[in-house]
Amino acid sequence: MSLTPNGSKPHEIEDVSSSSTVIVGCRKSELALTQARSIISALSQTLGPSPTFEIATGSVVGDADKQTPFALLSKQTGGSDIGKSLWTNGLEIDLVAGKVQVLVHCLKDMPTTLPPKCLLAAIPEREDCSDAVVMRSDSGFKSIDQLPPGSIVGSSSSRRRALVRRNWPHLEVAECRGNLDTRLAKLDAPSSPFSCILLASAGLLRLGLGHRITQRLEPTIFPYAVGQGALGIEVSTDIDRQDIIQLVQHVDHKPSRWRGMAERAMLRSLQGGCSSSIGVWSSFEPKENDPVDANRGPESGTLRLRATVIHVEGTSEISSEDVSSVQCDEDAEKLGVSVANMLLNKGVRDLLPEQS
């Protein structure tokens, strides 16, 4: 069954083609569907009734295996940045095959080096990048700082686990995997071992669950993941409908794109991935009196990027920061490479997991 913006249910990916219909692919989770619908809505508001859109869901390895810890699962599939393909590879096969024309991902889940014939064509305006503390529904605590020693914090992210160990060494950290609703259910279960779990604020806000956010962690002390809070719109460069690239660029937001490209270039240069404890903070300031597109943002500005690599046990860290004027993707990527080189010169390799 197909889903247009006003439809009800998505269909499983199959070989669908239509000159007037764009098939948008995503994972099967409610968050992924919500994100795909938001992109369709934005494009429809800009482009009008043509073309029409349908959503097709597909399976990925990361959703199929909900038990293996992320770090081990990433290592089993190649380690480093390749581990991120757990969330994209199955969908990208359908993209290159022409079964779908557009993929909507969480940008933080996308490998920094995409497969052949795949292109990151747009990054829409970024949502809140912060990490959220979510307490049990019956908890009286309002901050992670209030939790007593030995309290268990749930997270599947190496970065979050390392940062908890650094900032709150008196707390315990345990694996908590699954879709967002699954993790919330694990937290609230009567037999739950967790006092709180850590989630991306953006996902909760997109699903209308902002009321579950107990505390938003300040990025200067709890740097977020590369690409967190942003969506990545992926298309194929080897399909008959080359106009798809131009179509999705209607939702591209330049400041968000440049921040994302700088962060991804930094991560790519370090060869970090799902199993690496790497956090970032970035900002963009437009130049005064420069033209501003109502949808895509300013044409140039000042981009700042700070990256931190934390030892997995939270015992040490190395940070670097740089700033640059940007007016194109290449400028943003150069900034990311510069920050990575600064980290490498400080000996950051000693804090990164061994590459397999």
Side-chain angles (χ1 to χ4, degrees):
M1 207 181 314
S2 65
L3 175 70
T4 62
N6 296 317
S8 55
K9 292 184 179 180
H11 59 68
E12 297 292 319
I13 286 180
E14 56 186 40
D15 197 352
V16 181
S17 61
S18 170
S19 59
S20 61
T21 301
V22 175
I23 310 297
V24 179
C26 67
R27 290 161 59 189
K28 295 180 180 180
S29 72
E30 187 57 38
L31 178 58
L33 286 165
T34 297
Q35 292 170 167
R37 290 170 183 143
S38 72
I39 296 301
I40 289 174
S41 176
L43 287 171
S44 297
Q45 289 177 18
T46 301
L47 302 173
S50 180
T52 58
F53 295 91
E54 295 181 356
I55 292 179
T57 59
S59 299
V60 295
V61 175
D63 288 330
D65 184 345
K66 297 182 183 296
Q67 302 301 320
T68 306
F70 276 149
L72 179 58
L73 194 57
S74 174
K75 186 174 182 179
Q76 290 173 347
T77 55
S80 186
D81 193 40
I82 300 173
K84 287 179 175 286
S85 64
L86 292 168
W87 311 112
T88 61
N89 193 36
L91 299 173
E92 287 163 337
I93 291 173
D94 292 302
L95 178 68
V96 174
K99 295 180 181 180
V100 299
Q101 288 78 53
V102 177
L103 294 178
V104 178
H105 306 286
C106 289
L107 185 62
K108 69 182 179 67
D109 293 337
M110 296 183 70
T112 58
T113 299
L114 299 181
K117 302 179 182 179
C118 292
L119 173 70
L120 176 57
I123 298 177
E125 188 167 4
R126 201 167 185 173
E127 180 59 88
D128 185 343
C129 303
S130 70
D131 287 284
V133 177
V134 180
M135 296 290 179
R136 291 172 54 94
S137 56
D138 59 355
S139 175
F141 297 111
K142 300 300 181 183
S143 165
I144 193 171
D145 302 287
Q146 298 174 348
L147 293 177
S151 298
I152 299 177
V153 179
S155 176
S156 57
S157 159
S158 297
R159 173 188 57 86
R160 289 173 180 151
R161 292 158 73 97
L163 285 167
V164 169
R165 290 167 179 145
R166 183 195 72 176
N167 292 308
W168 302 280
H170 61 288
L171 303 180
E172 302 292 332
V173 190
E175 188 84 9
C176 184
R177 285 203 54 191
N179 291 334
L180 193 148
D181 54 347
T182 301
R183 283 180 276 176
L184 288 173
K186 288 180 178 181
L187 171 68
D188 293 334
S191 60
S192 172
F194 304 116
S195 296
C196 69
I197 59 175
L198 302 182
L199 299 168
S201 297
L204 291 162
L205 294 171
R206 288 179 180 132
L207 286 177
L209 295 172
H211 62 282
R212 288 305 309 262
I213 298 176
T214 306
Q215 175 189 12
R216 300 189 199 203
L217 295 172
E218 173 55 47
T220 55
I221 64 167
F222 207 92
Y224 43 82
V226 165
Q228 184 162 304
L231 300 180
I233 313 301
E234 188 175 9
V235 303
S236 173
T237 59
D238 190 33
I239 56 177
D240 293 335
R241 299 177 62 178
Q242 292 294 313
D243 58 322
I244 294 294
I245 296 176
Q246 293 182 336
L247 182 150
V248 300
Q249 286 179 345
H250 284 93
V251 295
D252 191 50
H253 183 250
K254 288 184 178 180
S256 299
R257 179 179 182 85
W258 291 332
R259 288 175 62 198
M261 305 249 339
E263 293 171 15
R264 286 167 60 80
M266 180 278 301
L267 187 63
R268 185 188 307 118
S269 297
L270 293 183
Q271 297 181 340
C274 294
S275 60
S276 300
S277 304
I278 302 174
V280 296
W281 173 85
S282 63
S283 66
F284 178 86
E285 291 292 334
K287 286 187 177 180
E288 292 186 14
N289 303 319
D290 264 17
V292 177
D293 184 288
N295 295 315
R296 301 194 63 185
E299 296 294 325
S300 62
T302 301
L303 183 62
R304 182 179 298 274
L305 174 63
R306 178 179 176 83
T308 302
V309 181
I310 312 100
H311 188 278
V312 67
E313 297 298 330
T315 53
S316 59
E317 65 179 60
I318 296 175
S319 296
S320 289
E321 182 175 338
D322 201 0
V323 61
S324 176
S325 296
V326 295
Q327 55 184 359
C328 63
D329 292 353
E330 290 75 15
D331 292 340
E333 292 195 319
K334 286 179 181 178
L335 176 63
V337 172
S338 172
V339 172
N341 287 336
M342 294 167 70
L343 289 168
L344 291 169
N345 290 335
K346 292 179 179 180
V348 78
R349 283 273 180 240
D350 293 338
L351 298 184
L352 293 171
E354 291 185 8
Q355 307 300 317
S356 60

